[in-house]
Amino acid sequence: MVYAYDRIGFGQSSVNNQPLALDFVITGVTHGFKVVFDYFALKYFIVLGHSVGGGMSAAIAAEYPEHCKALVTIAVQYEVEERTLARIRETKQTFRQAGQIERLGKYHPDKAHWIHGLKPGWCRHLKTGV
């Protein structure tokens, strides 16, 4: 059985208009994933995550070591690197162009403006210039 879990504000989940807290990854594990874990009465699972979800997946594996049989991460963000910050700056410039918010809205309906304004929680507290 495969379950796809969307964090609140992403994917097919409800819109979240609030800024992410600095501990959003851990909160996503202790509150968000816990609901999924309990609802499906999971005994064992394999967790996979991409990007920020990769960090969340690692936190899930650490929180549930007796239940997690494997961890797979893809392009996980685990530290703030200059090349990551540069790409964030480039992306912000791109979204200033006409039609880009609408293009993002094709993939994230009702969330495009929130995602566009997102400053990653893992670097918001740093003086990054993004």
Side-chain angles (χ1 to χ4, degrees), residues 41-71:
L42 299 175
K43 185 173 181 176
Y44 300 108
F45 59 84
I46 296 170
V47 63
L48 177 144
H50 171 259
S51 188
V52 174
M56 185 171 284
S57 294
I60 289 169
E63 184 73 16
Y64 297 90
E66 65 281 358
H67 300 283
C68 184
K69 294 298 183 187
L71 166 65

PDB file of all heavy atoms in Angstrom, residues 41-71:
ATOM      1  N   ALA A  41      -2.925   3.271  11.298  1.00  0.00           N
ATOM      2  CA  ALA A  41      -2.397   2.263  12.231  1.00  0.00           C
ATOM      3  C   ALA A  41      -1.179   1.561  11.624  1.00  0.00           C
ATOM      4  O   ALA A  41      -1.111   0.336  11.570  1.00  0.00           O
ATOM      5  CB  ALA A  41      -3.488   1.270  12.606  1.00  0.00           C
ATOM      6  N   LEU A  42      -0.234   2.371  11.177  1.00  0.00           N
ATOM      7  CA  LEU A  42       0.950   1.831  10.525  1.00  0.00           C
ATOM      8  C   LEU A  42       1.813   1.058  11.517  1.00  0.00           C
ATOM      9  O   LEU A  42       2.120   1.558  12.596  1.00  0.00           O
ATOM     10  CB  LEU A  42       1.778   2.958   9.905  1.00  0.00           C
ATOM     11  CG  LEU A  42       1.083   3.799   8.831  1.00  0.00           C
ATOM     12  CD1 LEU A  42       1.983   4.941   8.396  1.00  0.00           C
ATOM     13  CD2 LEU A  42       0.692   2.940   7.644  1.00  0.00           C
ATOM     14  N   LYS A  43       2.172  -0.138  11.134  1.00  0.00           N
ATOM     15  CA  LYS A  43       3.092  -0.926  11.953  1.00  0.00           C
ATOM     16  C   LYS A  43       4.516  -0.709  11.453  1.00  0.00           C
ATOM     17  O   LYS A  43       5.425  -0.457  12.235  1.00  0.00           O
ATOM     18  CB  LYS A  43       2.718  -2.412  11.904  1.00  0.00           C
ATOM     19  CG  LYS A  43       3.565  -3.254  12.816  1.00  0.00           C
ATOM     20  CD  LYS A  43       3.075  -4.690  12.886  1.00  0.00           C
ATOM     21  CE  LYS A  43       3.964  -5.475  13.831  1.00  0.00           C
ATOM     22  NZ  LYS A  43       3.510  -6.827  14.023  1.00  0.00           N
ATOM     23  N   TYR A  44       4.680  -0.797  10.140  1.00  0.00           N
ATOM     24  CA  TYR A  44       5.969  -0.564   9.495  1.00  0.00           C
ATOM     25  C   TYR A  44       5.743   0.292   8.268  1.00  0.00           C
ATOM     26  O   TYR A  44       4.678   0.246   7.659  1.00  0.00           O
ATOM     27  CB  TYR A  44       6.615  -1.884   9.060  1.00  0.00           C
ATOM     28  CG  TYR A  44       6.859  -2.822  10.214  1.00  0.00           C
ATOM     29  CD1 TYR A  44       6.096  -3.965  10.366  1.00  0.00           C
ATOM     30  CD2 TYR A  44       7.858  -2.555  11.146  1.00  0.00           C
ATOM     31  CE1 TYR A  44       6.306  -4.831  11.436  1.00  0.00           C
ATOM     32  CE2 TYR A  44       8.069  -3.410  12.208  1.00  0.00           C
ATOM     33  CZ  TYR A  44       7.295  -4.538  12.349  1.00  0.00           C
ATOM     34  OH  TYR A  44       7.513  -5.365  13.405  1.00  0.00           O
ATOM     35  N   PHE A  45       6.753   1.069   7.896  1.00  0.00           N
ATOM     36  CA  PHE A  45       6.645   1.880   6.692  1.00  0.00           C
ATOM     37  C   PHE A  45       8.030   2.182   6.142  1.00  0.00           C
ATOM     38  O   PHE A  45       9.047   2.061   6.834  1.00  0.00           O
ATOM     39  CB  PHE A  45       5.880   3.184   6.956  1.00  0.00           C
ATOM     40  CG  PHE A  45       6.505   4.063   8.007  1.00  0.00           C
ATOM     41  CD1 PHE A  45       7.536   4.935   7.684  1.00  0.00           C
ATOM     42  CD2 PHE A  45       6.065   4.021   9.317  1.00  0.00           C
ATOM     43  CE1 PHE A  45       8.113   5.749   8.648  1.00  0.00           C
ATOM     44  CE2 PHE A  45       6.630   4.832  10.287  1.00  0.00           C
ATOM     45  CZ  PHE A  45       7.661   5.700   9.955  1.00  0.00           C
ATOM     46  N   ILE A  46       8.045   2.565   4.873  1.00  0.00           N
ATOM     47  CA  ILE A  46       9.217   3.113   4.200  1.00  0.00           C
ATOM     48  C   ILE A  46       8.853   4.550   3.873  1.00  0.00           C
ATOM     49  O   ILE A  46       7.762   4.812   3.360  1.00  0.00           O
ATOM     50  CB  ILE A  46       9.544   2.330   2.913  1.00  0.00           C
ATOM     51  CG1 ILE A  46       9.921   0.894   3.261  1.00  0.00           C
ATOM     52  CG2 ILE A  46      10.642   3.026   2.118  1.00  0.00           C
ATOM     53  CD1 ILE A  46      10.025  -0.026   2.052  1.00  0.00           C
ATOM     54  N   VAL A  47       9.716   5.481   4.178  1.00  0.00           N
ATOM     55  CA  VAL A  47       9.400   6.888   3.948  1.00  0.00           C
ATOM     56  C   VAL A  47      10.326   7.439   2.865  1.00  0.00           C
ATOM     57  O   VAL A  47      11.513   7.123   2.819  1.00  0.00           O
ATOM     58  CB  VAL A  47       9.468   7.705   5.264  1.00  0.00           C
ATOM     59  CG1 VAL A  47      10.846   7.719   5.853  1.00  0.00           C
ATOM     60  CG2 VAL A  47       8.931   9.103   5.075  1.00  0.00           C
ATOM     61  N   LEU A  48       9.746   8.223   1.958  1.00  0.00           N
ATOM     62  CA  LEU A  48      10.477   8.853   0.864  1.00  0.00           C
ATOM     63  C   LEU A  48      10.114  10.325   0.849  1.00  0.00           C
ATOM     64  O   LEU A  48       8.940  10.670   1.013  1.00  0.00           O
ATOM     65  CB  LEU A  48      10.087   8.212  -0.464  1.00  0.00           C
ATOM     66  CG  LEU A  48      10.732   8.815  -1.710  1.00  0.00           C
ATOM     67  CD1 LEU A  48      11.033   7.728  -2.715  1.00  0.00           C
ATOM     68  CD2 LEU A  48       9.873   9.893  -2.333  1.00  0.00           C
ATOM     69  N   GLY A  49      11.097  11.179   0.683  1.00  0.00           N
ATOM     70  CA  GLY A  49      10.822  12.606   0.609  1.00  0.00           C
ATOM     71  C   GLY A  49      11.747  13.302  -0.358  1.00  0.00           C
ATOM     72  O   GLY A  49      12.899  12.912  -0.538  1.00  0.00           O
ATOM     73  N   HIS A  50      11.217  14.356  -0.987  1.00  0.00           N
ATOM     74  CA  HIS A  50      11.965  15.152  -1.947  1.00  0.00           C
ATOM     75  C   HIS A  50      12.125  16.569  -1.407  1.00  0.00           C
ATOM     76  O   HIS A  50      11.202  17.129  -0.835  1.00  0.00           O
ATOM     77  CB  HIS A  50      11.205  15.185  -3.278  1.00  0.00           C
ATOM     78  CG  HIS A  50      11.779  16.152  -4.257  1.00  0.00           C
ATOM     79  ND1 HIS A  50      11.223  17.383  -4.474  1.00  0.00           N
ATOM     80  CD2 HIS A  50      12.870  16.075  -5.048  1.00  0.00           C
ATOM     81  CE1 HIS A  50      11.940  18.022  -5.379  1.00  0.00           C
ATOM     82  NE2 HIS A  50      12.940  17.249  -5.742  1.00  0.00           N
ATOM     83  N   SER A  51      13.303  17.152  -1.595  1.00  0.00           N
ATOM     84  CA  SER A  51      13.586  18.526  -1.221  1.00  0.00           C
ATOM     85  C   SER A  51      13.385  18.697   0.283  1.00  0.00           C
ATOM     86  O   SER A  51      13.942  17.943   1.070  1.00  0.00           O
ATOM     87  CB  SER A  51      12.708  19.467  -2.054  1.00  0.00           C
ATOM     88  OG  SER A  51      13.073  20.809  -1.858  1.00  0.00           O
ATOM     89  N   VAL A  52      12.576  19.670   0.695  1.00  0.00           N
ATOM     90  CA  VAL A  52      12.315  19.860   2.123  1.00  0.00           C
ATOM     91  C   VAL A  52      11.658  18.608   2.699  1.00  0.00           C
ATOM     92  O   VAL A  52      11.898  18.232   3.844  1.00  0.00           O
ATOM     93  CB  VAL A  52      11.443  21.105   2.364  1.00  0.00           C
ATOM     94  CG1 VAL A  52      11.046  21.230   3.824  1.00  0.00           C
ATOM     95  CG2 VAL A  52      12.178  22.359   1.913  1.00  0.00           C
ATOM     96  N   GLY A  53      10.857  17.921   1.883  1.00  0.00           N
ATOM     97  CA  GLY A  53      10.243  16.667   2.316  1.00  0.00           C
ATOM     98  C   GLY A  53      11.268  15.595   2.639  1.00  0.00           C
ATOM     99  O   GLY A  53      11.007  14.683   3.425  1.00  0.00           O
ATOM    100  N   GLY A  54      12.455  15.695   2.051  1.00  0.00           N
ATOM    101  CA  GLY A  54      13.535  14.766   2.380  1.00  0.00           C
ATOM    102  C   GLY A  54      14.001  14.947   3.809  1.00  0.00           C
ATOM    103  O   GLY A  54      14.228  13.981   4.536  1.00  0.00           O
ATOM    104  N   GLY A  55      14.129  16.209   4.226  1.00  0.00           N
ATOM    105  CA  GLY A  55      14.480  16.488   5.618  1.00  0.00           C
ATOM    106  C   GLY A  55      13.386  16.034   6.559  1.00  0.00           C
ATOM    107  O   GLY A  55      13.645  15.474   7.631  1.00  0.00           O
ATOM    108  N   MET A  56      12.131  16.257   6.145  1.00  0.00           N
ATOM    109  CA  MET A  56      11.012  15.813   6.965  1.00  0.00           C
ATOM    110  C   MET A  56      10.994  14.286   7.045  1.00  0.00           C
ATOM    111  O   MET A  56      10.736  13.715   8.111  1.00  0.00           O
ATOM    112  CB  MET A  56       9.689  16.335   6.403  1.00  0.00           C
ATOM    113  CG  MET A  56       8.484  16.015   7.273  1.00  0.00           C
ATOM    114  SD  MET A  56       6.992  16.853   6.731  1.00  0.00           S
ATOM    115  CE  MET A  56       7.332  18.495   7.329  1.00  0.00           C
ATOM    116  N   SER A  57      11.302  13.615   5.953  1.00  0.00           N
ATOM    117  CA  SER A  57      11.343  12.151   5.950  1.00  0.00           C
ATOM    118  C   SER A  57      12.413  11.625   6.900  1.00  0.00           C
ATOM    119  O   SER A  57      12.199  10.646   7.614  1.00  0.00           O
ATOM    120  CB  SER A  57      11.601  11.628   4.539  1.00  0.00           C
ATOM    121  OG  SER A  57      10.518  11.939   3.701  1.00  0.00           O
ATOM    122  N   ALA A  58      13.574  12.287   6.900  1.00  0.00           N
ATOM    123  CA  ALA A  58      14.639  11.884   7.828  1.00  0.00           C
ATOM    124  C   ALA A  58      14.193  12.073   9.270  1.00  0.00           C
ATOM    125  O   ALA A  58      14.465  11.229  10.137  1.00  0.00           O
ATOM    126  CB  ALA A  58      15.911  12.678   7.550  1.00  0.00           C
ATOM    127  N   ALA A  59      13.475  13.157   9.535  1.00  0.00           N
ATOM    128  CA  ALA A  59      12.953  13.398  10.888  1.00  0.00           C
ATOM    129  C   ALA A  59      11.899  12.354  11.260  1.00  0.00           C
ATOM    130  O   ALA A  59      11.834  11.910  12.413  1.00  0.00           O
ATOM    131  CB  ALA A  59      12.377  14.807  10.983  1.00  0.00           C
ATOM    132  N   ILE A  60      11.076  11.939  10.295  1.00  0.00           N
ATOM    133  CA  ILE A  60      10.083  10.884  10.538  1.00  0.00           C
ATOM    134  C   ILE A  60      10.787   9.583  10.892  1.00  0.00           C
ATOM    135  O   ILE A  60      10.422   8.901  11.860  1.00  0.00           O
ATOM    136  CB  ILE A  60       9.158  10.698   9.317  1.00  0.00           C
ATOM    137  CG1 ILE A  60       8.205  11.889   9.181  1.00  0.00           C
ATOM    138  CG2 ILE A  60       8.381   9.385   9.398  1.00  0.00           C
ATOM    139  CD1 ILE A  60       7.440  11.936   7.877  1.00  0.00           C
ATOM    140  N   ALA A  61      11.823   9.242  10.124  1.00  0.00           N
ATOM    141  CA  ALA A  61      12.570   8.011  10.396  1.00  0.00           C
ATOM    142  C   ALA A  61      13.201   8.050  11.787  1.00  0.00           C
ATOM    143  O   ALA A  61      13.204   7.043  12.509  1.00  0.00           O
ATOM    144  CB  ALA A  61      13.643   7.806   9.332  1.00  0.00           C
ATOM    145  N   ALA A  62      13.699   9.215  12.186  1.00  0.00           N
ATOM    146  CA  ALA A  62      14.308   9.351  13.512  1.00  0.00           C
ATOM    147  C   ALA A  62      13.260   9.278  14.622  1.00  0.00           C
ATOM    148  O   ALA A  62      13.524   8.733  15.694  1.00  0.00           O
ATOM    149  CB  ALA A  62      15.068  10.675  13.599  1.00  0.00           C
ATOM    150  N   GLU A  63      12.079   9.797  14.364  1.00  0.00           N
ATOM    151  CA  GLU A  63      11.010   9.809  15.367  1.00  0.00           C
ATOM    152  C   GLU A  63      10.375   8.428  15.546  1.00  0.00           C
ATOM    153  O   GLU A  63       9.887   8.094  16.617  1.00  0.00           O
ATOM    154  CB  GLU A  63       9.938  10.829  14.964  1.00  0.00           C
ATOM    155  CG  GLU A  63       8.822  11.005  15.954  1.00  0.00           C
ATOM    156  CD  GLU A  63       9.225  11.757  17.222  1.00  0.00           C
ATOM    157  OE1 GLU A  63      10.283  12.414  17.241  1.00  0.00           O
ATOM    158  OE2 GLU A  63       8.466  11.683  18.204  1.00  0.00           O
ATOM    159  N   TYR A  64      10.371   7.623  14.480  1.00  0.00           N
ATOM    160  CA  TYR A  64       9.727   6.305  14.501  1.00  0.00           C
ATOM    161  C   TYR A  64      10.721   5.205  14.115  1.00  0.00           C
ATOM    162  O   TYR A  64      10.471   4.436  13.184  1.00  0.00           O
ATOM    163  CB  TYR A  64       8.543   6.285  13.534  1.00  0.00           C
ATOM    164  CG  TYR A  64       7.433   7.245  13.888  1.00  0.00           C
ATOM    165  CD1 TYR A  64       7.417   8.541  13.398  1.00  0.00           C
ATOM    166  CD2 TYR A  64       6.388   6.840  14.710  1.00  0.00           C
ATOM    167  CE1 TYR A  64       6.400   9.425  13.718  1.00  0.00           C
ATOM    168  CE2 TYR A  64       5.359   7.706  15.037  1.00  0.00           C
ATOM    169  CZ  TYR A  64       5.379   9.004  14.536  1.00  0.00           C
ATOM    170  OH  TYR A  64       4.358   9.872  14.864  1.00  0.00           O
ATOM    171  N   PRO A  65      11.860   5.085  14.795  1.00  0.00           N
ATOM    172  CA  PRO A  65      12.892   4.135  14.361  1.00  0.00           C
ATOM    173  C   PRO A  65      12.444   2.674  14.394  1.00  0.00           C
ATOM    174  O   PRO A  65      12.901   1.866  13.580  1.00  0.00           O
ATOM    175  CB  PRO A  65      14.040   4.382  15.346  1.00  0.00           C
ATOM    176  CG  PRO A  65      13.389   4.961  16.548  1.00  0.00           C
ATOM    177  CD  PRO A  65      12.226   5.771  16.030  1.00  0.00           C
ATOM    178  N   GLU A  66      11.547   2.331  15.284  1.00  0.00           N
ATOM    179  CA  GLU A  66      11.095   0.936  15.371  1.00  0.00           C
ATOM    180  C   GLU A  66      10.062   0.595  14.296  1.00  0.00           C
ATOM    181  O   GLU A  66       9.775  -0.577  14.060  1.00  0.00           O
ATOM    182  CB  GLU A  66      10.539   0.629  16.770  1.00  0.00           C
ATOM    183  CG  GLU A  66       9.281   1.387  17.140  1.00  0.00           C
ATOM    184  CD  GLU A  66       9.519   2.834  17.589  1.00  0.00           C
ATOM    185  OE1 GLU A  66      10.661   3.301  17.668  1.00  0.00           O
ATOM    186  OE2 GLU A  66       8.512   3.506  17.857  1.00  0.00           O
ATOM    187  N   HIS A  67       9.535   1.603  13.615  1.00  0.00           N
ATOM    188  CA  HIS A  67       8.515   1.382  12.583  1.00  0.00           C
ATOM    189  C   HIS A  67       9.043   1.626  11.174  1.00  0.00           C
ATOM    190  O   HIS A  67       8.519   1.067  10.216  1.00  0.00           O
ATOM    191  CB  HIS A  67       7.311   2.291  12.822  1.00  0.00           C
ATOM    192  CG  HIS A  67       6.652   2.083  14.140  1.00  0.00           C
ATOM    193  ND1 HIS A  67       5.814   1.021  14.389  1.00  0.00           N
ATOM    194  CD2 HIS A  67       6.743   2.774  15.305  1.00  0.00           C
ATOM    195  CE1 HIS A  67       5.393   1.087  15.641  1.00  0.00           C
ATOM    196  NE2 HIS A  67       5.947   2.139  16.219  1.00  0.00           N
ATOM    197  N   CYS A  68      10.054   2.484  11.043  1.00  0.00           N
ATOM    198  CA  CYS A  68      10.582   2.850   9.729  1.00  0.00           C
ATOM    199  C   CYS A  68      11.592   1.801   9.261  1.00  0.00           C
ATOM    200  O   CYS A  68      12.639   1.621   9.874  1.00  0.00           O
ATOM    201  CB  CYS A  68      11.228   4.228   9.786  1.00  0.00           C
ATOM    202  SG  CYS A  68      11.789   4.801   8.176  1.00  0.00           S
ATOM    203  N   LYS A  69      11.263   1.130   8.175  1.00  0.00           N
ATOM    204  CA  LYS A  69      12.135   0.078   7.635  1.00  0.00           C
ATOM    205  C   LYS A  69      13.170   0.618   6.655  1.00  0.00           C
ATOM    206  O   LYS A  69      14.193  -0.012   6.426  1.00  0.00           O
ATOM    207  CB  LYS A  69      11.301  -1.012   6.954  1.00  0.00           C
ATOM    208  CG  LYS A  69      10.428  -1.774   7.918  1.00  0.00           C
ATOM    209  CD  LYS A  69      11.288  -2.473   8.936  1.00  0.00           C
ATOM    210  CE  LYS A  69      10.491  -3.307   9.895  1.00  0.00           C
ATOM    211  NZ  LYS A  69      11.327  -3.844  10.958  1.00  0.00           N
ATOM    212  N   ALA A  70      12.887   1.769   6.048  1.00  0.00           N
ATOM    213  CA  ALA A  70      13.838   2.360   5.104  1.00  0.00           C
ATOM    214  C   ALA A  70      13.529   3.843   4.935  1.00  0.00           C
ATOM    215  O   ALA A  70      12.387   4.273   5.111  1.00  0.00           O
ATOM    216  CB  ALA A  70      13.775   1.658   3.751  1.00  0.00           C
ATOM    217  N   LEU A  71      14.560   4.595   4.579  1.00  0.00           N
ATOM    218  CA  LEU A  71      14.451   6.020   4.324  1.00  0.00           C
ATOM    219  C   LEU A  71      15.062   6.304   2.959  1.00  0.00           C
ATOM    220  O   LEU A  71      16.186   5.883   2.679  1.00  0.00           O
ATOM    221  CB  LEU A  71      15.210   6.807   5.407  1.00  0.00           C
ATOM    222  CG  LEU A  71      15.488   8.285   5.128  1.00  0.00           C
ATOM    223  CD1 LEU A  71      14.187   9.076   5.054  1.00  0.00           C
ATOM    224  CD2 LEU A  71      16.411   8.846   6.205  1.00  0.00           C
TER     225      LEU A  71
END
